[in-house]
Amino acid sequence: MRVLDKRTQINRRNFLKTSAASAVAAGVVSGGVVSVTATPVWAQSLKAIKPEAAKTLLVMVRDLYPHDRLGDSYYETALASMDAEAAKDAALATQLNDGAAALDSAARELRKAPYAALSSEADRVAVLKSVETTPFFRKVRGDMVVALYNQPEVWAKLGYEGPSAEYGGYLHRGFDDIDWIKEA
């Protein structure tokens, strides 16, 4: 039986990365730089999805597949893959940009604010339910489940060790690990 060590491994590299990220986050929050209306930097690098649509899509995807332990970067990576697909297909680019605009319009109609500016999850879910039968919603929901959960970095965050076929299957990789029982 394989013994899992679930303790967080702290080394100098992880400490420095965490410290730097914390310092930047503290500076941004304390400086009041966080703004709902600002265009995120990552969205400006997209080719087919407009920055304002990307901001709406990011919040939409976070609401469709909510994981508190996942940072925005994982969702941004998923959206980047959809953007790459949309860069090759003008109809898809139009569907995504128009769909995000329609989602913002629905949010303004129901809650008097664009979708990404709604702070209440219940309000955002109500807006999503109003568009859940549209081809846009189905496309985003269907593509994002693959784009998000096919990232090995997400697997690690969610506790999935990845496919086992190339290692001989699960039989010899701890399928019967029962680490939740304390050793006597």
Side-chain angles (χ1 to χ4, degrees):
M1 180 171 103
R2 187 170 48 113
V3 177
L4 296 176
D5 184 9
K6 293 189 174 185
R7 293 176 291 170
T8 303
Q9 299 295 323
I10 301 287
N11 58 28
R12 189 175 73 159
R13 181 177 300 238
N14 286 341
F15 175 77
L16 291 174
K17 284 191 325 190
T18 304
S19 298
S22 298
V24 169
V28 168
V29 170
S30 67
V33 177
V34 175
S35 172
V36 173
T37 59
T39 301
V41 173
W42 68 270
Q44 294 173 0
S45 65
L46 299 177
K47 295 176 181 151
I49 299 174
K50 296 175 184 172
E52 59 274 6
K55 189 168 55 173
T56 300
L57 288 170
L58 177 65
V59 177
M60 177 186 180
V61 173
R62 284 204 71 103
D63 288 339
L64 289 174
Y65 302 102
H67 294 285
D68 292 338
R69 68 178 82 172
L70 295 181
D72 282 347
S73 64
Y74 302 103
Y75 295 93
E76 292 165 4
T77 300
L79 280 174
S81 71
M82 184 175 252
D83 178 67
E85 186 181 328
K88 298 174 194 166
D89 183 358
L92 176 59
T94 301
Q95 182 184 35
L96 294 174
N97 288 313
D98 291 352
L103 186 62
D104 279 338
S105 294
R108 284 188 180 97
E109 187 175 305
L110 293 173
R111 303 292 188 238
K112 311 294 183 220
Y115 183 78
L118 297 176
S119 60
S120 167
E121 182 179 340
D123 288 345
R124 292 192 310 271
V125 169
V127 173
L128 283 177
K129 284 191 175 287
S130 73
V131 299
E132 69 183 350
T133 58
T134 63
F136 159 73
F137 180 88
R138 291 181 185 150
K139 178 68 176 168
V140 172
R141 184 187 62 195
D143 285 6
M144 286 296 104
V145 70
V146 174
L148 181 63
Y149 296 117
N150 268 356
Q151 299 176 48
E153 298 83 13
V154 171
W155 300 347
K157 292 282 187 181
L158 299 179
Y160 175 58
E161 296 178 358
S164 66
E166 63 264 16
Y167 303 108
Y170 288 110
L171 181 60
H172 301 294
R173 290 195 61 221
F175 82 96
D176 58 349
D177 286 350
I178 46 176
D179 59 342
W180 48 272
I181 295 178
K182 302 288 182 208
E183 291 184 29

